[in-house]
Amino acid sequence: MSVTDDMPFRVPIWSRLRRQIAGYGFLSPWLIGFFVLTLGPAMSSLYLSFTDYSLMSQPHWVGSANYAQIASDDPRFRAAMNVTFTYVLLSVPLKLVFALAVAVLLNKGMRGLNWFRAIFYLPSLIGGSVAIAVLWRQVFASDGMINQVLMTLFGYEGPSWIANPSTAIYTLVALAVWQFGSSMIIFLAGLRQIPQDMYEAASIDGASRTRQFFKITLPLLTPVIFFNAVILTIDAFKAFTPAFVISDGSGGPIDSTLFYTLYLYQEAFTNFRFGYASALAWVLVAIIAGFTALSFLSAKYWVHYDD
Amino acid sequence: MTSLTLQDIKKSYGNIDIIQGVDLKIEPGELVVFVGPSGCGKSTLLRMIAGLEPISSGELRIGGQRMNERSASERGIAMVFQSYALYPHMTVYKNMSFGLETARMPRAEIDSRVRKAAEILQITQLLDRKPKQLSGGQRQRVAIGRAIVREPSVFLFDEPLSNLDAELRVQTRVEIAKLHADIGATMIYVTHDQVEAMTLADRIVVLRGGRIEQAGTPLEIYNAPANRFVAGFIGSPKMNFLEARVLSSGGDLALDLAGTSVALAGYGGRGLEATASLGVRPEHLRVGSDQGADLGAMTVTHVEQLGGQTIVYGRLSDGQQIVATLDGQQSVQAGQELPLRVDLARCHVFDADGRRVAARAA
Ligand SMILES: Nc1ncnc2c1ncn2[C@@H]1O[C@H](COP(=O)(O)OP(=O)(O)OP(=O)(O)O)[C@@H](O)[C@H]1O
Ligand SMILES: [Mg+2]
């Protein structure tokens, strides 16, 4: 390219700089937040995970000792993994199925759609809050609503679902599924995207409603299902508030609701083993990253992208 | 081959009547084209025949059987959509076999039908592709293929060529005509392209505002349009409607057209009032010829050279616009005055309400 060709595109350096400064100026609230509140703490926790830091003393470098202990010699870590995986593997599929089912029903174009949408979405807005977790504890308590209903309907005297180690986790799964609203909204948007003539062609082809759902709707919805699944999985791994409130932060009974994040929290803020807790946090990051990577790898076998 | 009967078919959405009583009998193996301006109800009518839209009143018979209550898949029809409506997540093969699989046809038979259709349409090498990997014309073929494999007794097409470019449109049009000749099934074809209508149709049904304006063979429609609307709709450039004063209508009809008097035999006593319009197709106007009747002169305002034809736009002496299509490449300039002549036997007279006034046979 000759010099003269190049000239019109050359902007004086000072004016370019000034424009860039303006750009970064507008970005600065986010940039400051990112560096100070996200990247900084993340990096320092990565460092701390290789130390024995405990608030009281200076951190000492211990190499990979924390990770080694997590891997080989920590029964509570294993309990927490158990609880968390049970929770993820149950709550995510159930929530997906539930959200999709309700979305399909709502998409039939019923009256008052907007009302139903708002009502179903409400739990998603408030469901993660402490107040709702407290309410949930009441509902599943031995004299709670569930048992009162069981009593009146079947004369069955239910246990305290929350105090019972074999059922406690399921109350939390139920709480999670109850918050299907935001996934449902996304499914609804996805359903709206499917052109009507697809169904018309299918009905001329003789496909029943059921066949249309499994052969048209579901495949065309896979990108949305995939998106929801990934988001819900990450969220489920990070779940904290409900378990904390329901068990008063103990993860009990007998560690049956010891969510990973709850265990991490206890290590950090009850036992003040910040180094160890940091290592736990990074293990969780690795697990989530691994899960997400697996999801994306699997996507090419089942997710249909239109373009 | 199957006949179709529409008897006083009506459709309303709420209290808006979209289709206002259509009566039509379609013979077995006939290719009928619905034409009409946008919004006239062509698609609605087709979709009612397909079973995608409930029929508000009237009766639809296919092959003699009442079909109003039958579902789309039970009517023995196949439809090609304007948008193609191919299943994006299925291969071309799957797109074509889906309906047959739904009907639980044996694998071997499905395979032979799909391959046969693919061969007819020359898309065999595309069978493993997804619709997004196809060009518009190829998608169109797949959509037609999906219809063929069903071996329907009636094919329905809703503006199947409107998303194709001009060249491909002509090519596909020819192929559809060939397809019709080969398999001989009854076909209903919706378009608002009058060239498609003229070239494809055994019979054209011109619709306006949910009513049939006229049904007839392409040449019937061209030569004897029932009214101004039909006359203006078929033919390009469209027919000139020249407003004229009726001088006398007792014996021969005498018109005053911008100062030129025109006498038409055989129109006597047709109850024409003070004015009528004379319908003259641009291609029937002659310049620099001494055959035919004198229509006065036009002042040229604009000329279009199409190579094979020259289209001349101009005005009569009273300012009325007129268009003439001349054969070959004529050296005509804007501002020029051209004497016009026409064979009056090819002209039409429309009364003030736009109805064509037929001449008595001489
Ligand atoms: N679901 C509906 N509810 C109300 N009115 C409708 C509905 N569908 C179509 N219409 C109306 O019916 C009329 C006919 O529509 P239709 O689609 O049949 O026209 P068309 O002749 O196919 O036009 P085009 O050439 O533009 O495709 C239009 O005025 C349209 O607004
Ligand atoms: Mg239409």
Side-chain angles (χ1 to χ4, degrees):
Chain A
M1 192 192 283
S2 75
V3 175
T4 39
D5 279 347
D6 202 11
M7 286 309 276
F9 302 101
R10 185 164 286 169
V11 179
I13 227 166
W14 53 268
S15 100
R16 242 192 314 172
L17 209 67
R18 205 169 52 178
R19 258 195 282 171
Q20 285 182 0
I21 287 174
Y24 285 116
F26 283 115
L27 269 180
S28 62
W30 183 83
L31 283 178
I32 291 168
F34 176 71
F35 282 112
V36 175
L37 301 174
T38 306
L39 193 61
M43 286 304 107
S44 71
S45 88
L46 183 58
Y47 163 69
L48 290 176
S49 74
F50 293 99
T51 69
D52 64 355
Y53 185 50
S54 68
L55 260 200
M56 321 295 166
S57 60
Q58 286 299 308
H60 297 116
W61 186 263
V62 296
S64 58
N66 288 332
Y67 291 98
Q69 192 188 343
I70 291 172
S72 59
D73 180 26
D74 185 352
R76 289 200 87 206
F77 166 77
R78 246 164 278 142
M81 287 293 275
N82 227 327
V83 169
T84 306
F85 269 83
T86 309
Y87 179 76
V88 170
L89 295 180
L90 279 180
S91 72
V92 172
L94 278 176
K95 201 160 160 178
L96 282 175
V97 169
F98 207 67
L100 181 56
V102 175
V104 167
L105 286 179
L106 287 188
N107 195 44
K108 294 234 181 290
M110 58 199 308
R111 263 186 200 208
L113 170 65
N114 289 333
W115 278 105
F116 282 111
R117 210 158 39 182
I119 289 168
F120 288 137
Y121 186 56
L122 211 56
S124 283
L125 288 180
I126 58 173
S129 70
V130 173
I132 290 299
V134 170
L135 176 76
W136 213 249
R137 194 163 67 177
Q138 300 301 332
V139 167
F140 283 97
S142 55
D143 58 351
M145 202 174 78
I146 297 283
N147 280 343
Q148 282 173 15
V149 170
L150 285 177
M151 192 68 210
T152 15
L153 285 185
F154 307 106
Y156 172 74
E157 194 169 331
S160 167
W161 304 93
I162 283 171
N164 184 337
S166 59
T167 55
I169 180 74
Y170 300 109
T171 66
L172 291 175
V173 170
L175 176 58
V177 174
W178 181 60
Q179 298 162 44
F180 65 92
S182 60
S183 311
M184 179 203 70
I185 297 280
I186 298 172
F187 276 135
L188 259 177
L191 287 169
R192 293 279 165 95
Q193 292 288 312
I194 301 177
Q196 194 55 36
D197 56 17
M198 217 87 321
Y199 295 106
E200 296 182 341
S203 73
I204 289 178
D205 271 340
S208 64
R209 287 285 179 146
T210 322
R211 188 163 161 85
Q212 287 179 25
F213 177 78
F214 284 105
K215 293 289 177 178
I216 310 286
T217 310
L218 218 47
L220 293 184
L221 218 51
T222 46
V224 181
I225 297 174
F226 176 68
F227 173 82
N228 269 337
V230 169
I231 298 290
L232 289 183
T233 306
I234 293 174
D235 271 0
F237 271 117
K238 298 192 311 188
F240 176 74
T241 320
F244 183 86
V245 173
I246 282 194
S247 68
D248 280 329
S250 73
I254 345 179
D255 285 353
S256 66
T257 61
L258 185 67
F259 277 46
Y260 196 100
T261 51
L262 195 52
Y263 175 46
L264 193 162
Y265 171 87
Q266 288 179 2
E267 283 297 299
F269 298 104
T270 313
N271 305 335
F272 298 114
R273 299 176 60 197
F274 279 92
Y276 195 71
S278 296
L280 283 173
W282 279 94
V283 168
L284 180 61
V285 168
I287 291 173
I288 292 179
F291 238 81
T292 310
L294 272 182
S295 314
F296 274 90
L297 285 178
S298 78
K300 78 161 175 277
Y301 298 104
W302 65 277
V303 179
H304 162 77
Y305 286 108
D306 204 15
D307 36 35
Chain B
M1 287 202 273
T2 307
S3 68
L4 245 94
T5 317
L6 279 65
Q7 208 175 74
D8 199 20
I9 294 281
K10 290 184 182 159
K11 175 77 189 177
S12 34
Y13 290 110
N15 49 15
I16 307 168
D17 300 329
I18 301 295
I19 302 292
Q20 327 204 10
V22 166
D23 286 292
L24 186 67
K25 182 153 177 31
I26 298 175
E27 302 299 331
E30 203 177 11
L31 198 166
V32 169
V33 173
F34 292 172
V35 284
S38 191
C40 71
K42 306 181 293 289
S43 299
T44 307
L45 194 54
L46 194 75
R47 292 164 55 79
M48 283 196 286
I49 295 171
L52 298 174
E53 208 74 70
I55 297 170
S56 302
S57 78
E59 189 174 64
L60 167 70
R61 289 170 167 274
I62 299 179
Q65 286 195 311
R66 181 181 162 94
M67 286 290 162
N68 292 44
E69 291 77 24
R70 299 284 192 84
S71 71
S73 62
E74 297 170 326
R75 296 189 181 194
I77 53 105
M79 181 152 167
V80 176
F81 292 81
Q82 178 172 4
S83 61
Y84 312 145
L86 297 176
Y87 310 123
H89 55 296
M90 298 183 194
T91 60
V92 168
Y93 187 101
K94 275 275 169 193
N95 262 283
M96 296 209 274
S97 67
F98 181 72
L100 306 181
E101 280 168 15
T102 306
R104 297 180 194 279
M105 185 177 283
R107 287 245 151 253
E109 165 137 32
I110 294 179
D111 194 63
S112 87
R113 280 202 193 186
V114 169
R115 296 200 180 275
K116 199 174 109 206
E119 204 147 304
I120 294 174
L121 296 164
Q122 298 169 355
I123 50 173
T124 307
Q125 74 287 2
L126 306 177
L127 284 177
D128 294 327
R129 297 218 198 148
K130 297 264 181 74
K132 69 183 172 203
Q133 300 163 313
L134 302 177
S135 71
Q138 292 168 332
R139 282 179 210 183
Q140 179 58 65
R141 285 154 186 275
V142 176
I144 294 175
R146 185 169 65 179
I148 291 179
V149 294
R150 293 173 52 77
E151 298 184 356
S153 44
V154 181
F155 279 87
L156 307 174
F157 295 89
D158 190 355
E159 307 207 24
L161 308 185
S162 58
N163 290 333
L164 302 181
D165 65 40
E167 191 183 338
L168 208 50
R169 195 140 70 194
V170 174
Q171 192 185 327
T172 315
R173 193 175 81 204
V174 172
E175 280 169 18
I176 289 177
K178 237 179 75 207
L179 184 73
H180 178 239
D182 288 348
I183 61 181
T186 310
M187 294 187 176
I188 304 178
Y189 187 104
V190 165
T191 181
H192 53 234
D193 182 319
Q194 47 142 326
V195 180
E196 268 171 44
M198 291 298 285
T199 52
L200 280 175
D202 293 325
R203 202 145 53 102
I204 293 179
V205 174
V206 183
L207 291 162
R208 177 168 63 157
R211 284 181 214 279
I212 295 184
E213 291 285 321
Q214 189 175 0
T217 66
L219 290 184
E220 274 168 22
I221 302 260
Y222 179 88
N223 291 331
N227 52 42
R228 263 184 81 149
F229 173 77
V230 175
F233 196 78
I234 298 291
S236 172
K238 69 184 252 185
M239 185 185 282
N240 295 294
F241 297 108
L242 306 172
E243 301 308 326
R245 217 150 48 77
V246 176
L247 296 177
S248 79
S249 61
D252 284 356
L253 178 64
L255 296 177
D256 170 19
L257 174 62
T260 309
S261 54
V262 180
L264 294 120
Y267 285 90
R270 290 296 160 123
L272 282 168
E273 320 227 319
T275 61
S277 54
L278 185 66
V280 185
R281 295 204 183 270
E283 57 269 34
H284 295 156
L285 283 166
R286 297 205 193 109
V287 169
S289 150
D290 49 7
Q291 286 170 4
D294 180 22
L295 279 192
M298 79 187 274
T299 310
V300 177
T301 55
H302 179 66
V303 181
E304 286 176 351
Q305 294 285 358
L306 299 187
Q309 293 172 323
T310 307
I311 301 180
V312 183
Y313 298 80
R315 291 178 188 285
L316 294 179
S317 62
D318 65 351
Q320 287 195 69
Q321 297 195 351
I322 186 166
V323 181
T325 304
L326 309 178
D327 280 340
Q329 302 174 5
Q330 308 290 337
S331 55
V332 180
Q333 260 86 49
Q336 208 172 327
E337 289 241 325
L338 298 179
L340 294 175
R341 285 184 169 271
V342 74
D343 175 3
L344 285 176
R346 296 174 124 173
C347 294
H348 308 282
V349 178
F350 299 95
D351 67 17
D353 295 331
R355 274 190 301 269
R356 190 171 73 100
V357 181
R360 271 191 302 268

